[in-house]
Amino acid sequence: MENYVDIFLNSYNQYWNYFLELIFFQKWDNYFYGLIVISLVVWLLEIMFPWRKNQSIFRKDFWLDTFYMFFNFFIFNIIIFVALSNTTAAFFNDILGGIGMSLESLQLFNISALPAWLGLLIFFVVTDFVQWNTHRLLHRVEFLWNFHKVHHSVKEMGFAAHLRYHWMETVVYKSLLYLPVAIIGGFNVQHVAFVYFFTISVGHLNHANLGWDYGFLKYIFNNPKMHIWHHSKELPVRYGVNFGLTLSVWDYFFKTNYIPKNGRDIELGFTNDESFPQDFLRQEIYPINLKKE
């Protein structure tokens, strides 16, 4: 059996060293500066081609969302997530080992044995579909919705709103992704890095102050004109619409797509969001406070 305490503590040290390598340009797949570059490029596009022309460049909650962006992708990992996920993975492997199985035995196939482009496509499509379903759960399960409200509390849309979400969402998404990714197996760091940068770019664009839908590609890729309706305060169905993260094809296939008109000036938010906290700390403890009420 693994020593889970040692795994937990060693994970802190490993991730801290990894983070320093990012900061000091010692990694080719530099997620830290990659996020900064993507953010600056999309922000520049917002400035050059604003959809809502009366919206300020430094829109409402711009700095709060920017803080969320770095907190969720880096600070949260340093604090707990990497250590927790490594410990959970070790525990899961021990459980399988106890019944005479291994993670490798669950693999349906190894995508590293396929042509690189096909392996990358499978990895991307599988992870996006799992995340689409996870996103639907965040809206349908009341417990999870109380965490997801942080993301939907955005009142003026901009690129950084993409990464304004409660840290618990990371736990939910990664937990539900763990087994499907293990089943396809064999993905490498290049796959992860490419998918990361692509999905971050699309996600930033989805939330940006841009009036784009990519023409016929709107039926494949999520886009600003589609995603704005996901954040609409008034929706035709209780649990929401347009759940796609990177791909919109799932919404069209499962009939959860909804674009009734130009959504440029619709009100964003959710029912009774007037009482939702406006600062980071109170938004983080919001679901906990609900339990006390």
Side-chain angles (χ1 to χ4, degrees):
M1 296 289 286
E2 299 276 1
N3 185 327
Y4 300 122
V5 174
D6 286 345
I7 293 174
F8 192 85
L9 295 176
N10 288 336
S11 295
Y12 276 114
N13 183 55
Q14 292 170 5
Y15 188 79
W16 176 248
N17 290 334
Y18 170 75
F19 184 70
L20 291 179
E21 289 177 346
L22 293 181
I23 297 297
F24 294 106
F25 298 98
Q26 296 174 359
K27 285 283 187 181
W28 72 268
D29 51 336
N30 200 308
Y31 297 106
F32 182 78
Y33 291 107
L35 176 61
I36 292 176
V37 169
I38 291 170
S39 299
L40 290 175
V41 169
V42 177
W43 189 29
L44 181 61
L45 290 174
E46 283 188 346
I47 295 171
M48 295 172 60
F49 309 103
W51 192 21
R52 296 170 292 279
K53 299 186 184 302
N54 60 340
Q55 182 171 301
S56 171
I57 293 174
F58 295 97
R59 60 175 175 78
K60 177 178 172 57
D61 291 341
F62 176 91
W63 296 113
L64 174 63
D65 292 348
T66 300
F67 176 78
Y68 264 112
M69 188 165 63
F70 288 98
F71 175 84
N72 281 322
F73 265 67
F74 301 105
I75 301 174
F76 175 54
N77 282 339
I78 292 174
I79 295 173
I80 191 170
F81 183 68
V82 169
L84 181 63
S85 60
N86 287 345
T87 307
T88 302
F91 177 74
F92 185 72
N93 285 329
D94 284 342
I95 295 295
L96 288 177
I99 57 176
M101 297 179 63
S102 67
L103 202 57
E104 289 73 20
S105 67
L106 297 177
Q107 291 183 6
L108 296 179
F109 56 87
N110 191 321
I111 63 175
S112 64
L114 301 174
W117 68 269
L118 182 57
L120 180 62
L121 180 62
I122 291 173
F123 175 75
F124 167 61
V125 171
V126 169
T127 55
D128 192 77
F129 182 62
V130 172
Q131 290 180 101
W132 179 82
N133 278 292
T134 303
H135 192 184
R136 291 178 65 230
L137 281 178
L138 293 176
H139 282 261
R140 297 187 71 89
V141 178
E142 188 67 21
F143 172 75
L144 298 178
W145 168 241
N146 287 326
F147 292 102
H148 195 47
K149 282 179 180 178
V150 171
H151 184 64
H152 281 268
S153 64
V154 174
K155 301 302 290 184
E156 289 187 352
M157 195 71 85
F159 74 92
H162 173 209
L163 301 180
R164 173 178 176 165
Y165 55 82
H166 196 285
W167 58 265
M168 180 57 76
E169 289 196 26
T170 302
V171 176
V172 176
Y173 273 107
K174 297 300 183 184
S175 298
L176 294 180
L177 264 175
Y178 184 74
L179 192 57
V181 169
I183 288 174
I184 63 176
F187 60 91
N188 56 40
V189 67
Q190 287 82 10
H191 290 158
V192 175
F194 181 86
V195 171
Y196 167 85
F197 289 123
F198 180 70
T199 56
I200 287 294
S201 298
V202 174
H204 270 32
L205 289 167
N206 290 341
H207 293 82
N209 183 16
L210 296 168
W212 298 352
D213 64 9
Y214 315 135
F216 71 92
L217 290 177
K218 66 184 178 183
Y219 299 110
I220 300 174
F221 295 108
N222 199 1
N223 54 81
K225 283 189 172 181
M226 182 175 193
H227 194 68
I228 194 74
W229 284 101
H230 178 72
H231 284 263
S232 175
K233 191 167 184 174
E234 295 185 8
L235 290 170
V237 291
R238 177 182 176 186
Y239 295 114
V241 295
N242 301 349
F243 299 103
L245 277 75
T246 303
L247 298 177
S248 63
V249 66
W250 312 122
D251 286 305
Y252 285 105
F253 186 80
F254 292 102
K255 308 301 182 184
T256 53
N257 60 297
Y258 179 73
I259 311 175
K261 61 179 181 180
N262 187 317
R264 184 189 64 185
D265 300 315
I266 60 175
E267 183 179 5
L268 309 182
F270 53 88
T271 303
N272 298 324
D273 62 358
E274 297 81 7
S275 60
F276 192 79
Q278 299 296 308
D279 60 275
F280 174 77
L281 289 178
R282 288 194 300 151
Q283 288 178 355
E284 293 297 291
I285 64 174
Y286 171 80
I288 301 173
N289 284 340
L290 281 179
K291 294 178 182 179
K292 296 179 180 179
E293 295 177 357

